[in-house]
Coordinates of all heavy atoms in Angstrom, one line a residue:
G186 N 154.3 37.2 89.0 CA 153.0 36.9 88.3 C 151.9 36.4 89.2 O 150.7 36.7 89.1
E187 N 152.3 35.4 90.1 CA 151.3 34.7 90.9 C 150.8 35.8 92.0 O 149.7 35.6 92.5 CB 151.8 33.5 91.5 CG 152.0 32.4 90.6 CD 152.7 31.2 91.1 OE1 153.3 31.3 92.3 OE2 152.8 30.3 90.4
T188 N 151.7 36.7 92.4 CA 151.3 37.6 93.4 C 150.8 39.0 92.9 O 150.5 39.9 93.7 CB 152.4 37.9 94.4 OG1 153.6 38.4 93.7 CG2 152.8 36.6 95.2
G189 N 150.8 39.2 91.6 CA 150.2 40.3 91.0 C 151.2 41.5 91.0 O 150.8 42.7 90.9
V190 N 152.5 41.2 91.1 CA 153.5 42.3 91.1 C 153.8 42.7 89.7 O 154.2 41.8 88.8 CB 154.8 41.8 91.8 CG1 155.9 42.8 91.6 CG2 154.5 41.6 93.2
T191 N 153.6 43.9 89.3 CA 153.7 44.4 88.0 C 154.8 45.6 87.9 O 155.4 45.8 86.9 CB 152.5 44.8 87.3 OG1 151.8 45.8 88.1 CG2 151.6 43.5 87.1
D192 N 154.9 46.3 89.0 CA 155.6 47.5 89.0 C 156.9 47.6 89.9 O 157.4 48.5 90.2 CB 154.7 48.7 89.5 CG 153.5 48.8 88.5 OD1 153.7 48.6 87.3 OD2 152.3 49.1 88.9
L193 N 157.3 46.4 90.3 CA 158.6 46.4 91.1 C 159.7 45.8 90.3 O 159.5 44.9 89.5 CB 158.2 45.5 92.4 CG 157.2 46.1 93.4 CD1 157.0 45.1 94.5 CD2 157.7 47.4 93.9
P194 N 160.8 46.3 90.6 CA 162.0 45.7 89.7 C 162.4 44.4 90.3 O 162.2 43.9 91.5 CB 163.1 46.8 90.1 CG 162.8 47.2 91.5 CD 161.3 47.3 91.5
I195 N 163.0 43.6 89.5 CA 163.6 42.3 89.9 C 165.1 42.6 90.2 O 165.9 43.0 89.4 CB 163.5 41.2 88.7 CG1 162.1 40.9 88.5 CG2 164.4 40.0 89.0 CD1 161.8 39.8 87.4
L196 N 165.4 42.4 91.6 CA 166.7 42.6 92.1 C 167.0 41.5 92.8 O 166.2 40.8 93.6 CB 166.7 43.8 93.0 CG 166.1 45.2 92.4 CD1 165.8 46.2 93.4 CD2 167.2 45.6 91.3
T197 N 168.4 41.0 92.8 CA 168.8 39.7 93.4 C 170.1 39.9 94.4 O 170.9 40.8 94.0 CB 168.9 38.6 92.5 OG1 170.0 39.0 91.6 CG2 167.8 38.3 91.6
D198 N 170.2 39.2 95.3 CA 171.3 39.0 96.1 C 171.6 37.6 96.2 O 171.4 37.0 97.3 CB 171.0 39.7 97.5 CG 172.2 39.6 98.5 OD1 173.3 39.5 98.1 OD2 171.9 39.6 99.7
P199 N 172.0 37.0 95.1 CA 172.2 35.5 95.0 C 173.1 34.8 96.0 O 172.9 33.7 96.5 CB 172.7 35.2 93.6 CG 173.4 36.5 93.2 CD 172.7 37.5 94.0
R200 N 174.1 35.4 96.6 CA 175.1 34.9 97.5 C 174.7 35.5 98.9 O 175.6 35.3 99.8 CB 176.5 35.2 97.0 CG 176.9 34.3 95.8 CD 178.4 34.4 95.7 NE 178.8 33.3 94.7 CZ 178.7 33.2 93.4 NH1 178.1 34.2 92.8 NH2 179.2 32.3 92.7
Q201 N 173.7 36.2 99.1 CA 173.3 36.8 100.3 C 174.4 37.7 101.0 O 174.4 37.8 102.2 CB 172.8 35.6 101.2 CG 171.6 34.9 100.6 CD 171.3 33.8 101.6 OE1 172.1 32.9 101.9 NE2 170.0 33.8 102.0
K202 N 175.2 38.2 100.1 CA 176.2 39.1 100.8 C 175.7 40.4 101.3 O 176.0 40.8 102.5 CB 177.2 39.5 99.7 CG 178.1 38.4 99.3 CD 179.2 38.8 98.2 CE 180.0 37.6 97.8 NZ 180.9 38.1 96.8
L203 N 174.7 41.1 100.6 CA 174.1 42.2 101.2 C 173.2 41.9 102.3 O 173.2 42.6 103.4 CB 173.2 42.9 100.1 CG 172.4 44.2 100.5 CD1 173.3 45.3 101.0 CD2 171.5 44.6 99.4
S204 N 172.5 40.7 102.3 CA 171.5 40.3 103.3 C 172.4 40.1 104.6 O 172.0 40.6 105.6 CB 170.9 39.0 103.0 OG 170.1 39.1 101.9
R205 N 173.5 39.4 104.5 CA 174.4 39.3 105.7 C 174.9 40.6 106.1 O 174.9 40.8 107.5 CB 175.6 38.4 105.4 CG 175.1 36.9 105.3 CD 176.4 35.9 105.2 NE 177.3 36.1 104.2 CZ 177.3 35.7 103.0 NH1 176.2 34.8 102.7 NH2 178.1 35.9 102.1
D206 N 175.5 41.4 105.3 CA 175.9 42.7 105.7 C 174.8 43.6 106.5 O 175.2 44.4 107.4 CB 176.4 43.5 104.5 CG 177.8 43.2 104.1 OD1 178.4 42.1 104.8 OD2 178.3 43.7 103.1
M207 N 173.6 43.4 106.1 CA 172.5 44.1 106.7 C 171.9 43.4 107.9 O 170.9 43.9 108.5 CB 171.3 44.3 105.7 CG 171.8 45.3 104.6 SD 172.1 47.1 104.9 CE 170.6 47.6 105.6
G208 N 172.6 42.3 108.3 CA 172.1 41.6 109.5 C 170.7 40.9 109.3 O 170.0 40.6 110.3
V209 N 170.4 40.4 108.1 CA 169.1 39.7 107.8 C 169.3 38.2 108.0 O 170.2 37.5 107.4 CB 168.7 40.0 106.4 CG1 167.6 39.0 106.0 CG2 168.5 41.5 106.0
L210 N 168.7 37.7 109.0 CA 168.9 36.3 109.5 C 167.6 35.5 109.1 O 167.8 34.2 109.2 CB 169.0 36.3 111.0 CG 170.2 37.1 111.6 CD1 170.3 37.0 113.1 CD2 171.6 36.6 110.9
S211 N 166.5 36.0 108.7 CA 165.3 35.3 108.3 C 164.6 36.1 107.3 O 164.9 37.2 106.9 CB 164.5 35.1 109.5 OG 163.9 36.2 110.0
L212 N 163.6 35.5 106.7 CA 162.8 36.2 105.7 C 161.4 36.2 105.9 O 160.9 35.2 106.5 CB 163.1 35.6 104.3 CG 164.6 35.8 103.8 CD1 164.7 35.0 102.5 CD2 165.0 37.2 103.6
P213 N 160.5 37.1 105.7 CA 161.0 38.5 105.1 C 161.6 39.4 106.1 O 161.1 39.3 107.3 CB 159.8 39.0 104.5 CG 158.7 38.5 105.3 CD 159.2 37.1 105.7
V214 N 162.4 40.3 105.7 CA 162.8 41.5 106.6 C 162.6 42.7 105.7 O 163.1 42.7 104.5 CB 164.2 41.2 107.2 CG1 164.9 42.5 107.7 CG2 164.4 40.0 108.0
T215 N 162.2 43.7 106.4 CA 161.9 45.0 105.6 C 162.7 46.1 106.4 O 162.4 46.2 107.6 CB 160.6 45.2 105.5 OG1 159.9 44.1 104.8 CG2 160.3 46.5 104.6
I216 N 163.5 46.8 105.8 CA 164.3 47.9 106.4 C 163.9 49.3 105.8 O 163.9 49.3 104.6 CB 165.8 47.6 106.2 CG1 166.1 46.3 107.0 CG2 166.6 48.8 106.7 CD1 167.5 45.8 106.6
L217 N 163.6 50.2 106.6 CA 163.4 51.6 106.2 C 164.6 52.4 106.2 O 165.2 52.5 107.2 CB 162.2 52.2 107.0 CG 161.7 53.5 106.5 CD1 161.1 53.5 105.1 CD2 160.8 54.0 107.6
L218 N 165.0 52.9 105.0 CA 166.2 53.8 105.0 C 165.8 55.3 104.7 O 164.9 55.5 103.9 CB 167.1 53.3 103.7 CG 167.6 51.9 103.7 CD1 168.2 51.5 102.4 CD2 168.3 51.6 104.9
D219 N 166.5 56.1 105.4 CA 166.2 57.6 105.1 C 167.0 58.0 103.8 O 167.6 57.3 103.2 CB 166.7 58.4 106.4 CG 168.2 58.4 106.7 OD1 169.0 57.9 105.8 OD2 168.5 58.9 107.8
R220 N 166.8 59.3 103.6 CA 167.4 59.9 102.4 C 168.8 59.8 102.3 O 169.3 59.8 101.2 CB 166.9 61.3 102.2 CG 165.4 61.5 101.9 CD 165.1 63.0 101.9 NE 163.6 63.1 101.8 CZ 162.8 63.2 100.8 NH1 163.4 62.9 99.6 NH2 161.6 63.4 100.7
E221 N 169.6 59.7 103.4 CA 171.0 59.5 103.4 C 171.5 58.1 103.3 O 172.6 57.8 103.3 CB 171.5 60.2 104.7 CG 171.6 61.8 104.5 CD 170.1 62.3 104.9 OE1 169.5 61.7 105.8 OE2 169.7 63.2 104.3
G222 N 170.5 57.2 103.3 CA 170.9 55.8 103.0 C 171.2 55.1 104.4 O 171.9 54.2 104.4
R223 N 170.6 55.7 105.4 CA 170.7 55.1 106.8 C 169.5 54.3 107.2 O 168.4 54.7 107.0 CB 171.0 56.1 107.8 CG 172.2 57.0 107.5 CD 172.5 58.1 108.3 NE 171.3 59.0 108.4 CZ 171.1 60.0 109.1 NH1 172.0 60.4 109.9 NH2 170.0 60.7 109.0
E224 N 169.8 53.2 107.9 CA 168.6 52.4 108.4 C 168.1 53.1 109.6 O 168.8 53.6 110.5 CB 169.2 51.0 108.9 CG 168.0 50.2 109.5 CD 168.4 48.8 109.8 OE1 169.6 48.4 109.5 OE2 167.7 48.2 110.6
I225 N 166.7 53.3 109.5 CA 166.0 54.1 110.5 C 165.0 53.2 111.2 O 164.5 53.5 112.3 CB 165.4 55.4 110.0 CG1 164.3 55.2 109.0 CG2 166.4 56.4 109.8 CD1 163.6 56.5 108.6
A226 N 164.7 52.1 110.6 CA 163.6 51.1 111.2 C 163.8 49.8 110.5 O 164.2 49.7 109.4 CB 162.2 51.7 111.1

């Protein structure tokens, strides 16, 4: 609400399992995935 987000889903990784698996060590981190679900950037 404070940042004006109205069209993005609320998704959570409460135990940071996905974050750890994806090598996220700080925030924010943004990863670009291709159509096959592979990290490309």
Side-chain angles (χ1 to χ4, degrees):
E187 292 172 352
T188 57
V190 173
T191 57
D192 298 325
L193 294 176
I195 292 178
L196 303 169
T197 63
D198 181 22
R200 290 192 165 74
Q201 298 176 305
K202 290 180 179 181
L203 177 62
S204 303
R205 281 194 303 273
D206 282 355
M207 296 291 296
V209 173
L210 302 175
S211 63
L212 296 174
V214 169
T215 306
I216 298 170
L217 187 61
L218 303 176
D219 66 11
R220 292 178 188 275
E221 284 78 43
R223 300 175 302 177
E224 179 177 350
I225 58 173

